[in-house]
Amino acid sequence: MSGEELNIKRTMARQNGIVQPLLTDLYQITMAYAYWKSGKVNDVAVFDLFFRTNPFQGEFTIFAGLEECLKFLENFHYSDSDIEYLRQTLPENIEPEFFAYLKDLTCKDIRVSAIEEGSVVFPRVPLLRVEGPLIVAQLLETTLLTLVNFASLMATNAARYRMVAGKNVSLLEFGLRRAQGPDGGLSASKYAYIGGFDGTSNVLAGKMFNIPVRGTHAHSFVTSFSTLEDLHSVMIGHAETQKSCNLLEMSLEWRKRVSAVIDISPEEASDGELAALISYALAFPSGFLALVDTYDVKRSGLLNFCAVALALHDCGYRAVGIRIDSGDLAYLSVLARETFESIAEAFKLPWFSKLTIVASNDINEETILSLNEQGHKIDCFGIGTHLVTCQRQPALGCVYKLTEINGQPRIKLSQDVGKVTIPGHKEAYRLFGADGHALIDLLQRSSEPAPEVGQKVLCRHPFQESKRAYVIPSKVEHLYKVYWKDGIIYTMPKPLHEVRERVQSSLRTLRQDIKRNLNPTPYKVAVSDDLYNFIHDLWLQNAPIGELS
Ligand SMILES: Nc1ncnc2c1ncn2[C@@H]1O[C@H](COP(=O)(O)OP(=O)(O)OP(=O)(O)O)[C@@H](O)[C@H]1O
Ligand SMILES: O=P(O)(O)OC[C@H]1O[C@H](OP(=O)(O)OP(=O)(O)O)[C@H](O)[C@@H]1O
Ligand SMILES: O=C(O)c1cccnc1
Ligand SMILES: [Mg+2]
């Protein structure tokens, strides 16, 4: 391991303690016993982990969760209390030697090949290939699925929000309170960041994953102040001269001057709100970002904010901006920007026109698309519920299927052709066109030579005979690397911020029509001619011949 890799290993966050071998379905353990009892201890299997349909009516998915899978493999071990629990839970007739066998089980003989975390991926292309002792590989199924499914769904959701918001807008994840429990919230913060969010309000996620933490304040902070008398201290030292300034007096003075510019009477504004904003400004003079919709954005919040921001400026500080959490966000953001511009002009303070406008309140992809059409002036979206609960599609359907046992290919048949598994030990390649865009993903048998740049390859639909095309790739990317082998992390996963960059660079290789929101074009996933024939021969061998009478 190089010094740099060691360094990454040291900074890899500890795994959430609930990820452990018993975080699985009972049937994995009952199968393990039945395999063990039937003498399958030395059987060697290959499993593929893949999904069949892209989420959110889209045509791409972002693969995430790999780093957590590797940490799980590294720590895989049944503790004494796990064994004791299983002994009590499984039927009495279980042979005691099985528990001794479980006790010593590790992932040292498992090999995991995977696509790089943060890559765009497509249906049927295995994200992970797990090879090794059948019993161990089987025992990993549910945990690997739970680590990949929500991670990939969340990262995809976040990437979609980033695509509609554009690269010049900040995106903050505010979802912990609405998430599917504490672990859902923690995972959501991590994978929202990978998918392209800039920060989270979740402090533990910040600490565990080194994600930027950000935040404003809530309505309760404003409503806890009723009058100006609620302010116990109003003095602040000037940022440069340290001269003492009375922020209340200065804010009241500025409120009069601002009200003349924006034509709103100071009488209409709430004094309780002004007191709250002054008190927040005293606490955070360099990070003053105020919630302005508690009473009325136009008649109270904006006026009070501008008064305090201008008073702070006289004390040598620049305010950051406002948050709007209700009402028509397009209209109110335009109103706020116009107000800031009028003040910038009236008082010759150009920076005032650039104050940050944060918007929140039940925002989803459609809201952002609609706000874009309306010409909003929002710089930052705070997004919770729809993002972290993936309300539009609450689960990704990754599955884990046996494709080979003791060197023999296995196929799972189904009436539904889409559910027939692609058998055998396979490799996956991404073929690129001359313009740099990804053209097609190609699955081949591992025994076949890799496709080559400039060489014509026949790419076939796995199940529809007439659908095929010749491709001459300008670039070929082998999608798998070995990440876990001989009991160690064989390829170090990239640090979080690099995975986040990988998401954006990988998305750039996709044609725009594949990424568009409405009716996107499907990306093609094909099999080689050799694999096509292999699948269909095996299918015929395994499908029973019916008899009509
Ligand atoms: N200009 C806009 N275009 C499209 N959607 C918007 C616009 N402004 C706000 N929205 C969205 O419309 C919804 C408004 O929610 P709701 O009806 O609860 O209003 P509200 O302003 O929160 O109401 P209240 O002030 O009573 O709490 C939110 O989901 C918000 O994101
Ligand atoms: O709307 P979301 O996308 O879930 O974003 C998070 C929400 O959480 C906060 O308030 P909360 O909803 O708890 O209360 P409020 O809306 O009544 O202020 C915040 O003001 C947002 O509205
Ligand atoms: O910091 C905020 O503004 C915030 C945090 C969580 C939820 N809603 C808002
Ligand atoms: Mg809300």
PDB file of all heavy atoms in Angstrom, residues 234-261:
ATOM      1  N   VAL A 234     -27.268  44.998  23.620  1.00  0.00           N
ATOM      2  CA  VAL A 234     -27.408  45.541  22.266  1.00  0.00           C
ATOM      3  C   VAL A 234     -26.085  46.071  21.740  1.00  0.00           C
ATOM      4  O   VAL A 234     -26.021  46.600  20.643  1.00  0.00           O
ATOM      5  CB  VAL A 234     -28.469  46.679  22.230  1.00  0.00           C
ATOM      6  CG1 VAL A 234     -29.850  46.128  22.502  1.00  0.00           C
ATOM      7  CG2 VAL A 234     -28.128  47.788  23.202  1.00  0.00           C
ATOM      8  N   MET A 235     -25.030  45.946  22.528  1.00  0.00           N
ATOM      9  CA  MET A 235     -23.751  46.555  22.146  1.00  0.00           C
ATOM     10  C   MET A 235     -22.860  45.558  21.407  1.00  0.00           C
ATOM     11  O   MET A 235     -22.845  44.373  21.716  1.00  0.00           O
ATOM     12  CB  MET A 235     -23.005  47.059  23.396  1.00  0.00           C
ATOM     13  CG  MET A 235     -23.798  48.022  24.255  1.00  0.00           C
ATOM     14  SD  MET A 235     -24.462  49.439  23.332  1.00  0.00           S
ATOM     15  CE  MET A 235     -22.959  50.365  23.065  1.00  0.00           C
ATOM     16  N   ILE A 236     -22.132  46.078  20.427  1.00  0.00           N
ATOM     17  CA  ILE A 236     -21.168  45.253  19.687  1.00  0.00           C
ATOM     18  C   ILE A 236     -19.941  46.111  19.378  1.00  0.00           C
ATOM     19  O   ILE A 236     -20.079  47.310  19.087  1.00  0.00           O
ATOM     20  CB  ILE A 236     -21.820  44.695  18.398  1.00  0.00           C
ATOM     21  CG1 ILE A 236     -20.823  43.800  17.638  1.00  0.00           C
ATOM     22  CG2 ILE A 236     -22.352  45.782  17.491  1.00  0.00           C
ATOM     23  CD1 ILE A 236     -21.462  43.025  16.489  1.00  0.00           C
ATOM     24  N   GLY A 237     -18.773  45.487  19.444  1.00  0.00           N
ATOM     25  CA  GLY A 237     -17.548  46.231  19.124  1.00  0.00           C
ATOM     26  C   GLY A 237     -17.365  46.320  17.612  1.00  0.00           C
ATOM     27  O   GLY A 237     -17.639  45.346  16.892  1.00  0.00           O
ATOM     28  N   HIS A 238     -16.896  47.474  17.118  1.00  0.00           N
ATOM     29  CA  HIS A 238     -16.633  47.633  15.691  1.00  0.00           C
ATOM     30  C   HIS A 238     -15.560  46.622  15.268  1.00  0.00           C
ATOM     31  O   HIS A 238     -14.580  46.413  15.990  1.00  0.00           O
ATOM     32  CB  HIS A 238     -16.169  49.068  15.409  1.00  0.00           C
ATOM     33  CG  HIS A 238     -16.105  49.373  13.947  1.00  0.00           C
ATOM     34  ND1 HIS A 238     -15.083  48.950  13.141  1.00  0.00           N
ATOM     35  CD2 HIS A 238     -16.963  50.060  13.144  1.00  0.00           C
ATOM     36  CE1 HIS A 238     -15.300  49.353  11.898  1.00  0.00           C
ATOM     37  NE2 HIS A 238     -16.443  50.034  11.879  1.00  0.00           N
ATOM     38  N   ALA A 239     -15.765  45.999  14.096  1.00  0.00           N
ATOM     39  CA  ALA A 239     -14.860  44.930  13.666  1.00  0.00           C
ATOM     40  C   ALA A 239     -13.406  45.381  13.600  1.00  0.00           C
ATOM     41  O   ALA A 239     -12.505  44.599  13.893  1.00  0.00           O
ATOM     42  CB  ALA A 239     -15.304  44.398  12.307  1.00  0.00           C
ATOM     43  N   GLU A 240     -13.183  46.639  13.198  1.00  0.00           N
ATOM     44  CA  GLU A 240     -11.783  47.090  13.088  1.00  0.00           C
ATOM     45  C   GLU A 240     -11.351  47.968  14.268  1.00  0.00           C
ATOM     46  O   GLU A 240     -10.311  47.748  14.874  1.00  0.00           O
ATOM     47  CB  GLU A 240     -11.574  47.864  11.785  1.00  0.00           C
ATOM     48  CG  GLU A 240     -11.272  46.942  10.612  1.00  0.00           C
ATOM     49  CD  GLU A 240     -12.266  47.097   9.499  1.00  0.00           C
ATOM     50  OE1 GLU A 240     -12.614  48.250   9.177  1.00  0.00           O
ATOM     51  OE2 GLU A 240     -12.733  46.065   8.974  1.00  0.00           O
ATOM     52  N   THR A 241     -12.196  48.973  14.596  1.00  0.00           N
ATOM     53  CA  THR A 241     -11.754  49.949  15.604  1.00  0.00           C
ATOM     54  C   THR A 241     -12.051  49.489  17.032  1.00  0.00           C
ATOM     55  O   THR A 241     -11.586  50.095  17.993  1.00  0.00           O
ATOM     56  CB  THR A 241     -12.471  51.297  15.389  1.00  0.00           C
ATOM     57  OG1 THR A 241     -13.866  51.090  15.617  1.00  0.00           O
ATOM     58  CG2 THR A 241     -12.254  51.838  13.988  1.00  0.00           C
ATOM     59  N   GLN A 242     -12.887  48.454  17.161  1.00  0.00           N
ATOM     60  CA  GLN A 242     -13.341  47.945  18.469  1.00  0.00           C
ATOM     61  C   GLN A 242     -14.201  48.962  19.221  1.00  0.00           C
ATOM     62  O   GLN A 242     -14.610  48.728  20.361  1.00  0.00           O
ATOM     63  CB  GLN A 242     -12.157  47.520  19.387  1.00  0.00           C
ATOM     64  CG  GLN A 242     -11.774  46.054  19.230  1.00  0.00           C
ATOM     65  CD  GLN A 242     -10.960  45.835  17.988  1.00  0.00           C
ATOM     66  OE1 GLN A 242      -9.969  46.512  17.753  1.00  0.00           O
ATOM     67  NE2 GLN A 242     -11.375  44.909  17.147  1.00  0.00           N
ATOM     68  N   LYS A 243     -14.505  50.111  18.602  1.00  0.00           N
ATOM     69  CA  LYS A 243     -15.360  51.112  19.243  1.00  0.00           C
ATOM     70  C   LYS A 243     -16.737  50.488  19.491  1.00  0.00           C
ATOM     71  O   LYS A 243     -17.274  49.759  18.663  1.00  0.00           O
ATOM     72  CB  LYS A 243     -15.481  52.314  18.295  1.00  0.00           C
ATOM     73  CG  LYS A 243     -16.109  53.529  18.911  1.00  0.00           C
ATOM     74  CD  LYS A 243     -16.003  54.718  17.935  1.00  0.00           C
ATOM     75  CE  LYS A 243     -17.159  55.666  18.094  1.00  0.00           C
ATOM     76  NZ  LYS A 243     -18.297  55.401  17.258  1.00  0.00           N
ATOM     77  N   SER A 244     -17.330  50.788  20.635  1.00  0.00           N
ATOM     78  CA  SER A 244     -18.599  50.164  20.992  1.00  0.00           C
ATOM     79  C   SER A 244     -19.750  50.777  20.182  1.00  0.00           C
ATOM     80  O   SER A 244     -19.864  51.998  20.080  1.00  0.00           O
ATOM     81  CB  SER A 244     -18.791  50.402  22.487  1.00  0.00           C
ATOM     82  OG  SER A 244     -19.730  49.530  22.960  1.00  0.00           O
ATOM     83  N   CYS A 245     -20.602  49.907  19.578  1.00  0.00           N
ATOM     84  CA  CYS A 245     -21.730  50.385  18.771  1.00  0.00           C
ATOM     85  C   CYS A 245     -23.026  49.858  19.380  1.00  0.00           C
ATOM     86  O   CYS A 245     -23.095  48.702  19.802  1.00  0.00           O
ATOM     87  CB  CYS A 245     -21.655  49.844  17.345  1.00  0.00           C
ATOM     88  SG  CYS A 245     -20.089  50.095  16.508  1.00  0.00           S
ATOM     89  N   ASN A 246     -24.076  50.686  19.363  1.00  0.00           N
ATOM     90  CA  ASN A 246     -25.389  50.247  19.839  1.00  0.00           C
ATOM     91  C   ASN A 246     -26.189  49.754  18.634  1.00  0.00           C
ATOM     92  O   ASN A 246     -26.733  50.536  17.853  1.00  0.00           O
ATOM     93  CB  ASN A 246     -26.086  51.416  20.531  1.00  0.00           C
ATOM     94  CG  ASN A 246     -27.417  50.993  21.124  1.00  0.00           C
ATOM     95  OD1 ASN A 246     -28.137  50.198  20.524  1.00  0.00           O
ATOM     96  ND2 ASN A 246     -27.736  51.531  22.304  1.00  0.00           N
ATOM     97  N   LEU A 247     -26.245  48.428  18.504  1.00  0.00           N
ATOM     98  CA  LEU A 247     -26.848  47.863  17.284  1.00  0.00           C
ATOM     99  C   LEU A 247     -28.354  48.138  17.231  1.00  0.00           C
ATOM    100  O   LEU A 247     -28.915  48.298  16.147  1.00  0.00           O
ATOM    101  CB  LEU A 247     -26.568  46.356  17.209  1.00  0.00           C
ATOM    102  CG  LEU A 247     -26.723  45.741  15.828  1.00  0.00           C
ATOM    103  CD1 LEU A 247     -25.739  46.317  14.814  1.00  0.00           C
ATOM    104  CD2 LEU A 247     -26.547  44.223  15.872  1.00  0.00           C
ATOM    105  N   LEU A 248     -29.007  48.251  18.382  1.00  0.00           N
ATOM    106  CA  LEU A 248     -30.444  48.514  18.385  1.00  0.00           C
ATOM    107  C   LEU A 248     -30.721  49.919  17.869  1.00  0.00           C
ATOM    108  O   LEU A 248     -31.517  50.112  16.943  1.00  0.00           O
ATOM    109  CB  LEU A 248     -30.997  48.334  19.806  1.00  0.00           C
ATOM    110  CG  LEU A 248     -32.455  48.772  20.005  1.00  0.00           C
ATOM    111  CD1 LEU A 248     -33.393  48.003  19.074  1.00  0.00           C
ATOM    112  CD2 LEU A 248     -32.903  48.575  21.456  1.00  0.00           C
ATOM    113  N   GLU A 249     -30.040  50.887  18.466  1.00  0.00           N
ATOM    114  CA  GLU A 249     -30.274  52.278  18.025  1.00  0.00           C
ATOM    115  C   GLU A 249     -29.967  52.440  16.545  1.00  0.00           C
ATOM    116  O   GLU A 249     -30.718  53.058  15.795  1.00  0.00           O
ATOM    117  CB  GLU A 249     -29.375  53.238  18.815  1.00  0.00           C
ATOM    118  CG  GLU A 249     -30.001  53.706  20.108  1.00  0.00           C
ATOM    119  CD  GLU A 249     -29.058  54.619  20.891  1.00  0.00           C
ATOM    120  OE1 GLU A 249     -28.078  55.123  20.293  1.00  0.00           O
ATOM    121  OE2 GLU A 249     -29.305  54.786  22.099  1.00  0.00           O
ATOM    122  N   MET A 250     -28.862  51.862  16.132  1.00  0.00           N
ATOM    123  CA  MET A 250     -28.456  51.993  14.729  1.00  0.00           C
ATOM    124  C   MET A 250     -29.462  51.302  13.807  1.00  0.00           C
ATOM    125  O   MET A 250     -29.796  51.811  12.739  1.00  0.00           O
ATOM    126  CB  MET A 250     -27.048  51.399  14.529  1.00  0.00           C
ATOM    127  CG  MET A 250     -25.971  52.192  15.257  1.00  0.00           C
ATOM    128  SD  MET A 250     -24.471  51.248  15.449  1.00  0.00           S
ATOM    129  CE  MET A 250     -23.734  51.478  13.866  1.00  0.00           C
ATOM    130  N   SER A 251     -29.974  50.147  14.240  1.00  0.00           N
ATOM    131  CA  SER A 251     -30.944  49.415  13.398  1.00  0.00           C
ATOM    132  C   SER A 251     -32.244  50.211  13.275  1.00  0.00           C
ATOM    133  O   SER A 251     -32.846  50.280  12.194  1.00  0.00           O
ATOM    134  CB  SER A 251     -31.241  48.048  13.992  1.00  0.00           C
ATOM    135  OG  SER A 251     -30.075  47.274  14.069  1.00  0.00           O
ATOM    136  N   LEU A 252     -32.684  50.820  14.394  1.00  0.00           N
ATOM    137  CA  LEU A 252     -33.927  51.604  14.342  1.00  0.00           C
ATOM    138  C   LEU A 252     -33.764  52.798  13.395  1.00  0.00           C
ATOM    139  O   LEU A 252     -34.669  53.135  12.624  1.00  0.00           O
ATOM    140  CB  LEU A 252     -34.312  52.077  15.744  1.00  0.00           C
ATOM    141  CG  LEU A 252     -34.902  50.970  16.641  1.00  0.00           C
ATOM    142  CD1 LEU A 252     -35.024  51.457  18.088  1.00  0.00           C
ATOM    143  CD2 LEU A 252     -36.257  50.499  16.117  1.00  0.00           C
ATOM    144  N   GLU A 253     -32.597  53.416  13.472  1.00  0.00           N
ATOM    145  CA  GLU A 253     -32.304  54.548  12.589  1.00  0.00           C
ATOM    146  C   GLU A 253     -32.337  54.115  11.125  1.00  0.00           C
ATOM    147  O   GLU A 253     -32.985  54.735  10.284  1.00  0.00           O
ATOM    148  CB  GLU A 253     -30.905  55.100  12.976  1.00  0.00           C
ATOM    149  CG  GLU A 253     -30.563  56.454  12.422  1.00  0.00           C
ATOM    150  CD  GLU A 253     -31.669  57.494  12.668  1.00  0.00           C
ATOM    151  OE1 GLU A 253     -32.271  57.538  13.775  1.00  0.00           O
ATOM    152  OE2 GLU A 253     -31.939  58.220  11.694  1.00  0.00           O
ATOM    153  N   TRP A 254     -31.649  52.984  10.858  1.00  0.00           N
ATOM    154  CA  TRP A 254     -31.608  52.465   9.486  1.00  0.00           C
ATOM    155  C   TRP A 254     -32.997  52.021   9.026  1.00  0.00           C
ATOM    156  O   TRP A 254     -33.338  52.144   7.849  1.00  0.00           O
ATOM    157  CB  TRP A 254     -30.626  51.289   9.375  1.00  0.00           C
ATOM    158  CG  TRP A 254     -29.217  51.717   9.048  1.00  0.00           C
ATOM    159  CD1 TRP A 254     -28.122  51.620   9.840  1.00  0.00           C
ATOM    160  CD2 TRP A 254     -28.774  52.326   7.827  1.00  0.00           C
ATOM    161  NE1 TRP A 254     -27.013  52.112   9.205  1.00  0.00           N
ATOM    162  CE2 TRP A 254     -27.381  52.563   7.957  1.00  0.00           C
ATOM    163  CE3 TRP A 254     -29.400  52.715   6.644  1.00  0.00           C
ATOM    164  CZ2 TRP A 254     -26.617  53.151   6.945  1.00  0.00           C
ATOM    165  CZ3 TRP A 254     -28.640  53.295   5.628  1.00  0.00           C
ATOM    166  CH2 TRP A 254     -27.265  53.519   5.787  1.00  0.00           C
ATOM    167  N   ARG A 255     -33.813  51.516   9.954  1.00  0.00           N
ATOM    168  CA  ARG A 255     -35.144  51.052   9.534  1.00  0.00           C
ATOM    169  C   ARG A 255     -35.938  52.211   8.943  1.00  0.00           C
ATOM    170  O   ARG A 255     -36.652  52.060   7.958  1.00  0.00           O
ATOM    171  CB  ARG A 255     -35.873  50.386  10.712  1.00  0.00           C
ATOM    172  CG  ARG A 255     -37.114  49.632  10.252  1.00  0.00           C
ATOM    173  CD  ARG A 255     -37.589  48.588  11.230  1.00  0.00           C
ATOM    174  NE  ARG A 255     -38.242  49.158  12.393  1.00  0.00           N
ATOM    175  CZ  ARG A 255     -38.941  48.439  13.279  1.00  0.00           C
ATOM    176  NH1 ARG A 255     -39.063  47.127  13.125  1.00  0.00           N
ATOM    177  NH2 ARG A 255     -39.488  49.011  14.317  1.00  0.00           N
ATOM    178  N   LYS A 256     -35.771  53.389   9.555  1.00  0.00           N
ATOM    179  CA  LYS A 256     -36.485  54.572   9.026  1.00  0.00           C
ATOM    180  C   LYS A 256     -35.971  54.910   7.631  1.00  0.00           C
ATOM    181  O   LYS A 256     -36.736  55.163   6.707  1.00  0.00           O
ATOM    182  CB  LYS A 256     -36.258  55.774   9.957  1.00  0.00           C
ATOM    183  CG  LYS A 256     -37.123  55.733  11.195  1.00  0.00           C
ATOM    184  CD  LYS A 256     -37.074  57.085  11.906  1.00  0.00           C
ATOM    185  CE  LYS A 256     -36.858  56.878  13.398  1.00  0.00           C
ATOM    186  NZ  LYS A 256     -35.956  57.761  14.054  1.00  0.00           N
ATOM    187  N   ARG A 257     -34.650  54.901   7.485  1.00  0.00           N
ATOM    188  CA  ARG A 257     -34.069  55.290   6.186  1.00  0.00           C
ATOM    189  C   ARG A 257     -34.433  54.276   5.093  1.00  0.00           C
ATOM    190  O   ARG A 257     -34.738  54.658   3.969  1.00  0.00           O
ATOM    191  CB  ARG A 257     -32.535  55.404   6.307  1.00  0.00           C
ATOM    192  CG  ARG A 257     -32.128  56.527   7.259  1.00  0.00           C
ATOM    193  CD  ARG A 257     -30.627  56.614   7.409  1.00  0.00           C
ATOM    194  NE  ARG A 257     -29.973  57.072   6.173  1.00  0.00           N
ATOM    195  CZ  ARG A 257     -28.652  57.108   6.012  1.00  0.00           C
ATOM    196  NH1 ARG A 257     -27.863  56.687   6.980  1.00  0.00           N
ATOM    197  NH2 ARG A 257     -28.130  57.536   4.893  1.00  0.00           N
ATOM    198  N   VAL A 258     -34.410  52.976   5.460  1.00  0.00           N
ATOM    199  CA  VAL A 258     -34.740  51.948   4.455  1.00  0.00           C
ATOM    200  C   VAL A 258     -36.212  52.045   4.077  1.00  0.00           C
ATOM    201  O   VAL A 258     -36.589  51.937   2.914  1.00  0.00           O
ATOM    202  CB  VAL A 258     -34.427  50.533   4.990  1.00  0.00           C
ATOM    203  CG1 VAL A 258     -34.949  49.458   4.050  1.00  0.00           C
ATOM    204  CG2 VAL A 258     -32.934  50.363   5.204  1.00  0.00           C
ATOM    205  N   SER A 259     -37.048  52.305   5.061  1.00  0.00           N
ATOM    206  CA  SER A 259     -38.491  52.324   4.774  1.00  0.00           C
ATOM    207  C   SER A 259     -38.815  53.426   3.765  1.00  0.00           C
ATOM    208  O   SER A 259     -39.710  53.261   2.932  1.00  0.00           O
ATOM    209  CB  SER A 259     -39.296  52.458   6.066  1.00  0.00           C
ATOM    210  OG  SER A 259     -39.291  53.777   6.499  1.00  0.00           O
ATOM    211  N   ALA A 260     -38.059  54.498   3.787  1.00  0.00           N
ATOM    212  CA  ALA A 260     -38.293  55.565   2.803  1.00  0.00           C
ATOM    213  C   ALA A 260     -37.910  55.081   1.400  1.00  0.00           C
ATOM    214  O   ALA A 260     -38.578  55.397   0.419  1.00  0.00           O
ATOM    215  CB  ALA A 260     -37.471  56.801   3.180  1.00  0.00           C
ATOM    216  N   VAL A 261     -36.865  54.248   1.318  1.00  0.00           N
ATOM    217  CA  VAL A 261     -36.413  53.771  -0.008  1.00  0.00           C
ATOM    218  C   VAL A 261     -37.373  52.735  -0.572  1.00  0.00           C
ATOM    219  O   VAL A 261     -37.712  52.750  -1.755  1.00  0.00           O
ATOM    220  CB  VAL A 261     -34.983  53.173   0.081  1.00  0.00           C
ATOM    221  CG1 VAL A 261     -34.549  52.564  -1.244  1.00  0.00           C
ATOM    222  CG2 VAL A 261     -33.995  54.220   0.548  1.00  0.00           C
TER     223      VAL A 261
END
